[in-house]
Amino acid sequence: MSASPWKRRRFLSAGVSSAAATFSGCRRNQNPWRFFTLEEAFLVEQICQQLIPADQDAGGREAGVVNYIDRQLAGFHSRQQNLYRRGLVRVDEIARAMFQDRFTSLASERQVAVLEEAETKETAFFNAILAHAMQGFYGDPRHGGNRDYASWRMLGVPPRPVRGRQQYDLTRGRG
Amino acid sequence: MALERVNAVVVGSGAGGGIVAKELAQAGLRVVLLERGSWVTAYDCRKDDLRNQRTTVLGNAFGPDDERHPRVVVDESGRERTLRASEPGYHNNAGCVGGGTASYGAMAWRFMEKDFRMRSTYGAVPGSTLEDWPLSYADLEPYYEKAEWEIGVSGDDAGNVFRAPRRRPLPMPPLPPNRECQVLRPAALRLGLHPFDIPMLRNSVPYNGRPACMRCRWCVGFACEVDAKCGTQNTVIPAALKTGNCELRCDCVAGQVLLDERGRAAGVAYFDARGRYREQPADLVVVSCAAIESARLLLNSRSRLFPKGLGNRHDWVGRNLQGHTYPRAAGLFDFELYDDQGPGAGIAVCDYNHGNPGLAGGGMLANEFIRLPYQFVAQVPRSAGRWGRGHKEFMRKWYRRSMSVMGPVQEMPMFDSRVEVDPVVKDHWGIPVARLSGGKHPHTLEVARYMAGKAEAWLKEAGAIHTWTVVPGPGLSGGQHQAGTCRMGGDPRTSVVNRYCQVHDVDNVFVIDGSVHVTNGGFNPVLTIMALAYYASAHLVKTWKGTRMRS
Ligand SMILES: Cc1cc2nc3c(=O)[nH]c(=O)nc-3n(C[C@H](O)[C@H](O)[C@H](O)COP(=O)(O)OP(=O)(O)OC[C@H]3O[C@@H](n4cnc5c(N)ncnc54)[C@H](O)[C@@H]3O)c2cc1C
Ligand code: SF4
């Protein structure tokens, strides 16, 4: 593999700070999200952190997956807004039924148990958020997820080269 | 205001239509080339992992758009859904100048001799409309060559002892092998197979005034930012325009072939880029919209003489929709394979295209194009979990240490796998949309299971420490390799066009694209579509008499 000069760059777009920080640190009425309420964003972030947990590499939260999902629900995936609104309520209902508390207050193993339940009981919503979480984590950073190329770095895939027009390396073929 | 009459309207500027437009324009005919999509160039190339022509979770990068082009699809259980163009199951190819060739993977296969004689080779297959083509490999050979040299193909099939005879070698050498190819080649040889470098419509050296491939990882599903991939949009279409005889009209959606009182085509009705209804009078009409939309256009062209649609007197238009069934084997290795050298696919064998015991046909096997990280997500085996720690571990551990071998199984055509026009749903312009239904023949799946086993054996020989196979389900085929819906044949009662792609009942309407394939080979279809387009154009030009066809 060619040596890849990873550049850590700060992303300047709105809403890339973690939803948790936003939730606790901001005053009310300062919701930075396009679609989610602050509570919803926090819940989505917690779910995504279980779908793609942090370990030695970034997880769904660090990679800004909630930002990706929020953007798409206000854009390309806007038809799924209701699915999310209802699905998130259902996840909390399952959490209360199983452990008498809201999802975001549960310990990690319990959150996993709730999601396993949601996977079979709320299939449509679960499949949607799972697909979107994977897109936001492994997809192109331009859509608001995969912050700092977190997943590509984990996989050892070079970042997208930044090229000006006509600034191409044409030496890799036979020419 | 009426539009000025021209000699020919070609509908669709893809693989077939682009070539026909150029051949007719160079022969001196005045041509209007209608294309529902836009002109995309290398500069529009966005290399977006989530929005391209392969992964469309954020839409089709190369058309058609989601808002204006719905389709109705009926699944195996009879459930009927109206789909947007980027949704799975829509069976899209593309909608832009160049059609599929603007963003394809660019494998450039010649079919084999037996692929044109499937019925004589294997006999009737119950439940399938398996038939021979009314032309042979030898008829097409000069035109395969023309496609290879005019559009531009690199590769080296000398090692393919099964290939049909060719007079001229390919114009460009293959790209150097990537690591997967380096590992797969000796393994194939040890198995007694005959590996070779896949012919590709891609510049490996500067050719036709465009540079060589720079081996990025976003190839299949993307436009090429250095224009090294060869499609009709950067070869024959510019050549057609250069003659001064061809006018390309983008963002124009054809709705109907217009017929006169005697049942001959009089032109094409379409909606222009501003949504205005237009009628373009012409001496002849060429339909090149790809298999699904070509059938739809004919079925929507009803008249007193053709109440069931143009060319559809015997109910064959839209029938035999087919594509390819792709079995796949994946393998995990204890060494690195990923080297970020696009396009990825590079090595193939044709040992299993024919002669498989007890089976009709088969297909080539090749390594896969580069799997982008998001594409690999869906390839994680269920045993690793769909999410959570296990899934992430698997991604991290194996992304660079895995590969897949796969191949297009030649399908057994099915009369009931078909395109109709929906009685209710209409598109943005009020034109009835395509309605798809049907499925795969059981024998196709049997061949696919067999091929998956062969792919797996190849990976094992290459040193895979763990392998598994994936065989598609019984649902309808079509999609990017869609073909078959306007079958060519000698008998007007069991086919739609003759061997020159001319509609049996209407001598000034031609269908020139994947629609006319009787069977679709065990190969990606585009070079055959291109060869057919050259072949049919040559005949058309020969019989052209100023303003009409010589009968
Ligand atoms: C991502 C991808 C990868 C592929 N890889 C390969 C490969 O490696 N090898 C291979 O052989 N094949 C490959 N293919 C398939 C190949 O592109 C097709 O087989 C080929 O383009 C089909 O040619 P066609 O002329 O039948 O139709 P198309 O190329 O699809 O052209 C049809 C054109 O007609 C236009 N059209 C349709 N309806 C209308 C209308 N009503 N009015 C005006 N215009 C209309 C469409 O917009 C389109 O541009 C790939 C395709 C894709 C999308
Ligand atoms: S792999 Fe080569 S041909 Fe394909 S898009 Fe990249 S540079 Fe172009």
Side-chain angles (χ1 to χ4, degrees):
Chain A
M1 175 190 145
S2 55
S4 52
W6 282 107
K7 286 215 183 77
R8 285 166 181 275
R9 280 190 281 147
R10 299 293 313 159
F11 282 71
L12 299 174
S13 57
V16 296
S17 61
S18 113
T22 315
F23 184 44
S24 51
C26 287
R27 272 176 295 137
R28 272 192 287 134
N29 302 331
Q30 288 199 334
N31 182 354
W33 304 104
R34 296 165 181 80
F35 168 69
F36 291 130
T37 65
L38 289 175
E39 289 81 357
E40 284 171 336
F42 187 43
L43 175 53
V44 169
E45 187 178 83
Q46 296 265 308
I47 293 172
C48 291
Q49 192 70 346
Q50 293 300 349
L51 298 177
I52 308 166
D55 42 26
Q56 67 264 42
D57 292 298
R61 172 173 44 214
E62 295 78 25
V65 165
V66 60
N67 187 44
Y68 168 83
I69 298 178
D70 181 62
R71 269 216 222 172
Q72 304 319 320
L73 287 175
F76 190 81
H77 289 310
S78 58
R79 295 204 306 183
Q80 284 167 310
Q81 289 184 352
N82 286 337
L83 183 67
Y84 266 80
R85 249 301 89 119
R86 266 182 282 122
L88 292 171
V89 171
R90 283 292 296 139
V91 167
D92 256 338
E93 284 172 8
I94 294 172
R96 282 182 214 282
M98 287 174 75
F99 302 111
Q100 297 74 49
D101 211 341
R102 60 202 300 191
F103 185 87
T104 51
S105 306
L106 298 177
S108 184
E109 318 78 71
R110 292 189 164 188
Q111 288 190 341
V112 171
V114 172
L115 288 178
E116 279 166 356
E117 186 76 359
E119 187 172 11
T120 52
K121 293 251 173 74
E122 290 299 319
T123 319
F125 168 68
F126 186 88
N127 288 343
I129 194 169
L130 177 58
H132 295 162
M134 294 296 172
Q135 289 160 20
F137 190 75
Y138 291 106
D140 196 302
R142 81 184 77 186
H143 300 294
N146 198 2
R147 188 187 302 157
D148 277 342
Y149 298 95
S151 68
W152 294 2
R153 226 159 355 140
M154 168 179 104
L155 300 180
V157 181
R160 186 155 29 78
V162 180
R163 300 186 185 109
R165 280 193 175 189
Q166 305 285 32
Q167 300 299 301
Y168 301 114
D169 174 9
L170 295 172
T171 59
R172 288 171 86 187
R174 285 183 175 254
Chain B
M1 189 188 68
L3 293 164
E4 200 185 331
R5 185 175 188 83
V6 294
N7 297 130
V9 179
V10 179
V11 188
S13 67
I19 287 172
V20 177
K22 177 244 175 196
E23 290 292 294
L24 299 190
Q26 283 189 344
L29 278 76
R30 292 200 43 221
V31 180
V32 165
L33 178 56
L34 293 179
E35 169 56 50
R36 67 179 169 172
S38 307
W39 180 283
V40 289
T41 71
Y43 292 132
D44 298 314
C45 167
R46 302 271 295 140
K47 303 300 193 198
D48 185 336
D49 288 39
L50 300 177
R51 180 184 166 85
N52 52 74
Q53 210 64 3
R54 251 293 143 92
T55 300
T56 61
V57 294
L58 296 181
N60 295 329
F62 301 101
D65 60 75
D66 273 355
E67 289 70 34
R68 299 179 301 173
H69 299 272
R71 260 180 203 165
V72 175
V73 177
V74 187
D75 69 16
E76 304 102 279
S77 61
R79 193 168 58 119
E80 167 179 334
R81 290 184 307 152
T82 303
L83 296 180
R84 301 192 293 172
S86 70
E87 284 186 271
Y90 179 92
H91 290 287
N92 188 28
N93 189 40
C96 62
V97 175
T101 74
S103 62
Y104 59 5
M107 288 194 188
W109 296 101
R110 292 180 175 212
F111 285 4
M112 291 160 68
E113 287 157 313
K114 282 182 180 156
D115 295 328
F116 298 92
R117 292 188 281 111
M118 288 296 284
R119 176 69 178 265
S120 331
T121 306
Y122 296 105
V125 172
S128 169
T129 43
L130 192 67
E131 232 347 304
D132 289 352
W133 290 53
L135 49 74
S136 69
Y137 173 80
D139 293 322
L140 278 189
E141 201 283 333
Y143 302 97
Y144 272 126
E145 178 185 305
K146 192 168 182 186
E148 286 165 351
W149 285 78
E150 276 201 16
I151 317 282
V153 175
S154 61
D156 182 1
D157 60 0
N160 178 14
V161 299
F162 304 99
R163 74 166 192 209
R166 58 158 70 245
R167 291 184 310 177
R168 242 176 131 185
L170 295 169
M172 290 179 271
L175 288 167
N178 66 3
R179 204 167 300 160
E180 289 188 7
C181 299
Q182 287 167 17
V183 171
L184 285 170
R185 182 180 302 268
L189 292 171
R190 286 197 299 275
L191 288 171
L193 304 175
H194 302 83
F196 59 95
D197 297 295
I198 303 174
M200 298 269 203
L201 289 137
R202 174 180 295 101
N203 287 0
S204 60
V205 292
Y207 190 77
N208 260 342
R210 287 176 290 105
C213 166
M214 59 165 191
R215 316 209 63 179
C216 70
R217 74 169 176 269
W218 299 270
C219 195
V220 61
F222 299 86
C224 177
E225 59 194 309
V226 294
D227 228 8
K229 205 152 57 166
C230 316
T232 55
Q233 81 289 348
N234 56 13
T235 54
V236 283
I237 292 173
L241 300 179
K242 215 168 148 199
T243 63
N245 290 331
C246 176
E247 186 191 337
L248 169 64
R249 294 188 195 144
C250 297
D251 305 294
C252 289
V253 178
Q256 206 181 346
V257 178
L258 300 165
L259 296 172
D260 67 16
E261 273 312 298
R262 288 169 307 142
R264 300 182 83 248
V268 171
Y270 70 96
F271 293 91
D272 71 10
R274 285 155 65 187
R276 291 174 303 190
Y277 177 83
R278 288 302 180 92
E279 292 188 354
Q280 174 61 59
D283 301 327
L284 69 94
V285 172
V286 180
V287 178
S288 304
C289 303
I292 293 170
E293 294 297 317
S294 285
R296 174 186 172 209
L297 185 58
L298 294 187
L299 292 171
N300 273 330
S301 304
R302 292 166 206 232
S303 64
R304 192 173 47 80
L305 286 167
F306 297 103
K308 289 192 298 174
L310 177 55
N312 197 30
R313 212 188 290 282
H314 300 286
D315 192 24
W316 276 74
V317 173
R319 301 284 188 175
N320 304 308
L321 176 60
Q322 58 200 290
H324 283 117
T325 300
Y326 265 90
R328 185 169 72 85
L332 308 180
F333 293 76
D334 55 12
F335 53 90
E336 294 227 332
L337 287 158
Y338 187 84
D339 59 4
D340 206 46
Q341 295 283 307
I347 188 170
V349 298
C350 288
D351 293 70
Y352 306 114
N353 278 71
H354 292 284
N356 300 309
L359 300 175
M364 65 85 180
L365 288 177
N367 68 321
E368 199 184 10
F369 286 100
I370 285 188
R371 293 163 293 290
L372 297 171
Y374 177 64
Q375 292 167 334
F376 191 61
V377 167
Q379 297 189 359
V380 173
R382 273 299 167 96
S383 56
R386 293 170 72 207
W387 52 279
R389 286 191 191 288
H391 186 275
K392 190 181 178 200
E393 284 283 352
F394 190 97
M395 293 287 297
R396 180 167 47 215
K397 185 148 184 215
W398 299 113
Y399 180 75
R400 296 174 62 87
R401 296 186 187 82
S402 57
M403 67 171 149
S404 284
V405 166
M406 56 208 296
V409 164
Q410 169 139 238
E411 299 188 330
M412 299 294 113
M414 303 273 286
F415 195 64
D416 286 335
S417 293
R418 65 187 296 202
V419 181
E420 298 168 90
V421 289
D422 196 81
V424 183
V425 180
K426 302 204 168 39
D427 68 13
H428 171 78
W429 300 269
I431 309 166
V433 305
R435 175 188 174 89
L436 312 181
S437 59
K440 300 187 184 81
H441 192 281
H443 191 67
T444 301
L445 296 173
E446 203 179 324
V447 179
R449 284 190 291 272
Y450 171 85
M451 296 298 296
K454 296 298 177 192
E456 189 171 33
W458 191 3
L459 289 172
K460 283 200 169 118
E461 183 61 35
I465 49 180
H466 180 68
T467 57
W468 67 98
T469 60
V470 183
V471 177
L476 185 67
S477 273
Q480 297 177 348
H481 292 185
Q482 57 187 269
T485 54
C486 303
R487 172 176 282 200
M488 64 160 55
D491 184 346
R493 287 165 310 175
T494 56
S495 59
V496 178
V497 298
N498 66 20
R499 59 179 286 161
Y500 300 113
C501 300
Q502 193 170 25
V503 173
H504 284 305
D505 291 331
V506 191
D507 74 350
N508 67 342
V509 177
F510 294 76
V511 180
I512 305 183
D513 61 15
S515 311
V516 303
H517 289 197
V518 177
T519 49
N520 211 17
F523 298 105
N524 312 46
V526 83
L527 198 76
T528 299
I529 296 171
M530 291 173 170
L532 267 171
Y534 281 115
Y535 167 87
S537 304
H539 180 264
L540 202 166
V541 166
K542 210 162 65 199
T543 52
W544 174 249
K545 280 293 206 188
T547 56
R548 59 185 180 83
M549 309 302 302
R550 178 152 42 94
S551 38

